[in-house]
Amino acid sequence: MGACGIPASSTWAPLASRNRRPMPVPHLSVLGQTPSSSHRAPPAGRTDGITLPPLMPWELLPQQREQLKAGPGTLIMATGVQDFNRTEFDRLNEIKGHLEIALLEKHFLQEELRKLREETNAEMLRQELDRERQRRMELEQKVQEVLKARTEEQMAQQPPKGQAQASNGAERRSQGLSSRLQKWFYERFGEYVEDFRFQPEENTVETEEPLSARRLTENMRRLKRGAKPVTNFVKNLSALSDWYSVYTSAIAFTVYMNAVWHGWAIPLFLFLAILRLSLNYLIARGWRIQWSIVPEVSEPVEPPKEDLTVSEKFQLVLDVAQKAQNLFGKMADILEKIKNLFMWVQPEITQKLYVALWAAFLASCFFPYRLVGLAVGLYAGIKFFLIDFIFKRCPRLRAKYDTPYIIWRSLPTDPQLKERSSAAVSRRLQTTSSRSYVPSAPAGLGKEEDAGRFHSTKKGNFHEIFNLTENERPLAVCENGWRCCLINRDRKMPTDYIRNGVLYVTENYLCFESSKSGSSKRNKVIKLVDITDIQKYKVLSVLPGSGMGIAVSTPSTQKPLVFGAMVHRDEAFETILSQYIKITSAAASGGDS
């Protein structure tokens, strides 16, 4: 029994349980308090034990606290109170979280509703709908008025009933017959009529592909494969004309001349075309048939590389561009020669063609076609199989008597015409200048001394610019010099590192004239004897080829001097090297003597 007379095991034992159910508490009278004196009174009409939240220790009266302290179940009760307080706190937090979520959802829904109301704007939609209804009603009134006016006009113009019925019957019969006729005609010929309907032409713009090295190479290969049948046909014809295979050419010549003599030349060519198509069909089916006079040589196909370096791509573009340049040049030469033949650029050549066309026209007018065809066919066969064979074996005879070959070779292209006109103009200028002005030289000087004395560059006399003797002058090969840039790697300043200018070679010196205006300190003079090494140089290793520079080593420079960006690099290198060998050999022979 506890201090208050309550069994601890029966009344306060549930406080020690760990469940979350409400804990039953004893009646307040047990603790010595009446229901009216407690601040948590039970509901009216209840006198037995009630299920209410337990009284906290700070909510008890001092007498109740002393009674609890005096009882043996005080520790168990305190533990139960703490656990109950903890569970209730968790519940309150959970409920608080749910309330916050509900408030946020309400706020978001209100915002969405406001946005929808602003977007829809029901009032404006109602106003627009009312305006559209009003417009519809106005239009309906106008349509009714127009229909009413038309009916009144028809009633005023309507004839009597008898005539109206007769005319209506005739019109109906004619309309029925015409409609049936139109329907039959459209069913029979409507599709063909639609085919002849004119439509505006559609202008389709083809999309241009960007420049690609791989695409360019593939297009060149496709062009080569596409032109292969034509080139093979031309090779076979030239092999027949050259009598590459004697038996084949003899049989072809005999068959052709016999067909021309009997008037079967056109059927012969048609039969050959049918035979070629039949053989192509069998080849496409998998048959191995080779009908060629010249044996075909299969070229090895290089597999395309996936990853190419920058230099390989650049070299690939250069190779393809060179092939395209040569191909387009040949095609342009052929087209320009044909154009110049018909445009009387060379009157003596076009005159021969003019006379030949008149002769062919008159022959076709006065002679039967069989005779004209026989003459043309016989001439073509003899020319192709015999005369061309002799002319190809005897070039000098061909240059004298082969009229078509002479005409074709003598026809000029547009660049040749331009060169001829410029040469004629320069000759005229030279003749006029020689007549108007004759230069006079000192009596005691020869031609070489005079040229050396008066030779000058753009900035003055040569020997004055480089501080050389008067007998030092550029060689005949480099009289105007070679455009280049001097790369002095010993200098650190950008202005002194690279200089643009002109390179000259004299008998004893290598002279570089800077293009920038200023003192002669920017110019460079190197004795050929002082050169320790000279070799070709590649300034940019990324670019393909052997480069466009010359490296010259001297004792006064730590790094070789490089003359780069020279278009005529090989010519300059050979000139410098030959002059260097000449000077060094002359110096060695002089020292030995």
Side-chain angles (χ1 to χ4, degrees):
M1 295 292 290
C4 298
I6 300 172
S9 60
S10 61
T11 306
W12 295 102
L15 292 173
S17 61
R18 298 292 180 176
N19 56 4
R20 296 181 180 271
R21 296 179 180 178
M23 183 177 63
V25 296
H27 198 272
L28 294 176
S29 63
V30 178
L31 297 175
Q33 294 288 332
T34 60
S36 60
S37 64
S38 176
H39 64 284
R40 288 194 182 183
R46 297 285 299 273
T47 60
D48 54 349
I50 59 173
T51 304
L52 288 174
L55 295 173
M56 298 296 104
W58 59 82
E59 296 178 347
L60 297 176
L61 297 176
Q63 184 180 0
Q64 294 173 348
R65 293 177 186 173
E66 292 177 358
Q67 292 176 359
L68 286 173
K69 290 179 182 179
T74 304
L75 182 62
I76 299 173
M77 180 180 176
T79 306
V81 169
Q82 290 178 0
D83 293 340
F84 187 77
N85 291 338
R86 188 182 299 111
T87 55
E88 289 296 323
F89 185 72
D90 293 338
R91 288 182 182 179
L92 289 174
N93 288 335
E94 186 177 357
I95 293 170
K96 183 180 179 181
H98 287 302
L99 288 174
E100 290 178 355
I101 293 172
L103 290 173
L104 289 174
E105 290 181 352
K106 180 182 177 181
H107 178 71
F108 289 148
L109 290 174
Q110 288 177 353
E111 290 292 330
E112 292 292 332
L113 183 60
R114 184 178 60 81
K115 290 181 180 178
L116 289 174
R117 286 176 179 175
E118 289 178 356
E119 290 178 356
T120 54
N121 203 351
E123 294 297 331
M124 292 180 65
L125 291 176
R126 288 196 193 96
Q127 293 177 3
E128 291 182 359
L129 184 61
D130 294 337
R131 285 196 295 269
E132 292 295 331
R133 287 176 180 173
Q134 188 175 0
R135 290 178 186 174
R136 182 175 63 81
M137 294 174 64
E138 292 177 357
L139 290 175
E140 288 180 355
Q141 290 178 1
K142 290 181 180 180
V143 169
Q144 290 178 0
E145 292 176 358
V146 171
L147 291 176
K148 186 176 180 181
R150 287 185 179 179
T151 52
E152 290 177 357
E153 292 178 357
Q154 290 178 0
M155 291 295 292
Q157 297 177 358
Q158 190 174 10
K161 290 186 177 180
Q163 295 179 1
Q165 291 178 356
S167 62
N168 289 334
E171 289 178 358
R172 288 176 183 175
R173 286 194 297 271
S174 61
Q175 289 178 358
L177 182 61
S178 62
S179 62
R180 287 195 298 271
L181 184 61
Q182 289 178 0
K183 185 177 180 181
W184 175 82
F185 182 80
Y186 184 78
E187 289 178 355
R188 287 294 185 90
F189 306 102
E191 184 178 358
Y192 304 102
V193 171
E194 291 292 333
D195 293 338
F196 284 96
R197 179 175 292 180
F198 291 99
Q199 295 179 356
E201 186 177 358
E202 297 180 358
N203 295 326
T204 58
V205 179
E206 296 182 358
T207 58
E208 296 184 357
E209 298 182 0
L211 181 61
S212 172
R214 186 177 300 173
R215 188 67 175 174
L216 184 61
T217 309
E218 182 63 25
N219 288 341
M220 290 298 296
R221 289 176 181 171
R222 289 172 54 199
L223 179 62
K224 189 175 181 180
R225 290 194 298 267
K228 190 175 181 180
V230 180
T231 55
N232 290 337
F233 179 72
V234 174
K235 287 180 181 178
N236 289 327
L237 286 180
S238 62
L240 279 177
S241 178
D242 295 339
W243 293 73
Y244 181 83
S245 175
V246 180
Y247 297 104
T248 306
S249 298
I251 293 171
F253 177 70
T254 305
V255 171
Y256 174 78
M257 297 301 289
N258 191 18
V260 170
W261 182 261
H262 291 89
W264 296 341
I266 296 177
L268 175 65
F269 290 128
L270 295 176
F271 175 74
L272 290 176
I274 294 171
L275 181 61
R276 180 73 257 185
L277 285 177
S278 303
L279 291 176
N280 290 340
Y281 174 77
L282 296 178
I283 292 171
R285 288 293 180 180
W287 291 41
R288 293 184 178 180
I289 301 173
Q290 183 179 359
W291 188 35
S292 177
I293 302 172
V294 181
E296 296 182 0
V297 179
S298 60
E299 298 180 357
V301 179
E302 298 181 358
K305 297 181 180 180
E306 296 296 333
D307 297 330
L308 298 176
T309 60
V310 177
S311 59
E312 289 176 347
K313 288 182 180 179
F314 191 78
Q315 185 64 37
L316 184 63
V317 172
L318 288 180
D319 295 339
V320 175
Q322 183 181 4
K323 293 179 181 178
Q325 169 190 330
N326 297 334
L327 177 62
F328 293 156
K330 292 178 181 178
M331 294 174 63
D333 290 343
I334 294 172
L335 296 175
E336 287 175 357
K337 285 186 175 184
I338 296 173
K339 180 198 71 172
N340 295 332
L341 175 63
F342 287 95
M343 294 303 295
W344 294 83
V345 176
Q346 294 286 98
E348 62 276 6
I349 297 174
T350 311
Q351 186 177 1
K352 295 178 181 178
L353 176 64
Y354 189 72
V355 173
L357 290 176
W358 269 110
F361 172 72
L362 295 175
S364 63
C365 292
F366 293 102
F367 295 100
Y369 287 107
R370 181 178 178 82
L371 183 61
V372 174
L374 179 62
V376 173
L378 291 176
Y379 172 75
I382 295 171
K383 177 76 170 58
F384 180 78
F385 286 98
L386 300 178
I387 298 176
D388 285 347
F389 174 75
I390 297 172
F391 283 157
K392 289 179 181 178
R393 295 295 184 275
C394 305
R396 296 179 63 182
L397 193 65
R398 183 177 191 178
K400 290 182 179 179
Y401 301 105
D402 193 358
T403 304
Y405 176 78
I406 294 170
I407 290 174
W408 183 256
R409 289 294 299 272
S410 57
L411 281 172
T413 59
D414 290 348
Q416 292 175 354
L417 291 173
K418 191 179 294 184
E419 290 178 0
R420 291 178 186 178
S421 61
S422 61
V425 171
S426 62
R427 283 197 299 270
R428 291 174 186 174
L429 292 175
Q430 288 177 0
T431 54
T432 54
S433 62
S434 62
R435 290 175 184 176
S436 60
Y437 174 74
V438 178
S440 60
L445 296 177
K447 291 183 179 179
E448 295 181 358
E449 295 178 354
D450 182 60
R453 181 178 294 273
F454 291 101
H455 182 83
S456 62
T457 62
K458 294 180 180 180
K459 298 178 183 179
N461 294 329
F462 185 83
H463 65 279
E464 293 178 356
I465 291 174
F466 296 103
N467 295 324
L468 300 175
T469 58
E470 294 184 359
N471 58 353
E472 288 292 340
R473 60 182 183 273
L475 300 178
V477 181
C478 61
E479 188 173 1
N480 295 323
W482 295 294
R483 299 288 303 177
C484 64
C485 63
L486 174 60
I487 303 174
N488 190 355
R489 292 181 290 178
D490 292 339
R491 302 295 180 90
K492 301 299 181 182
M493 295 297 293
T495 55
D496 296 335
Y497 186 79
I498 298 177
R499 302 176 190 172
N500 295 320
V502 184
L503 181 65
Y504 299 95
V505 180
T506 65
E507 294 182 359
N508 301 302
Y509 295 95
L510 187 64
C511 304
F512 175 79
E513 181 185 3
S514 178
S515 59
K516 291 185 178 180
S517 59
S519 62
S520 61
K521 293 181 180 180
R522 293 183 176 273
N523 300 332
K524 191 73 176 177
V525 179
I526 304 171
K527 286 186 178 181
L528 294 176
V529 182
D530 295 340
I531 295 176
T532 58
D533 185 22
I534 178 173
Q535 58 183 354
K536 295 180 180 179
Y537 187 77
K538 187 176 182 180
V539 179
L540 296 176
S541 60
V542 179
L543 298 178
S546 59
M548 300 174 64
I550 299 174
V552 178
S553 300
T554 60
S556 61
T557 57
Q558 296 178 0
K559 296 180 180 179
L561 297 172
V562 178
F563 298 96
M566 299 181 68
V567 179
H568 305 284
R569 193 274 306 272
D570 296 335
E571 179 185 0
F573 180 78
E574 294 296 334
T575 304
I576 297 171
L577 184 60
S578 60
Q579 190 66 22
Y580 171 75
I581 294 171
K582 180 181 177 181
I583 292 297
T584 52
S585 61
S589 62
D592 294 339
S593 62

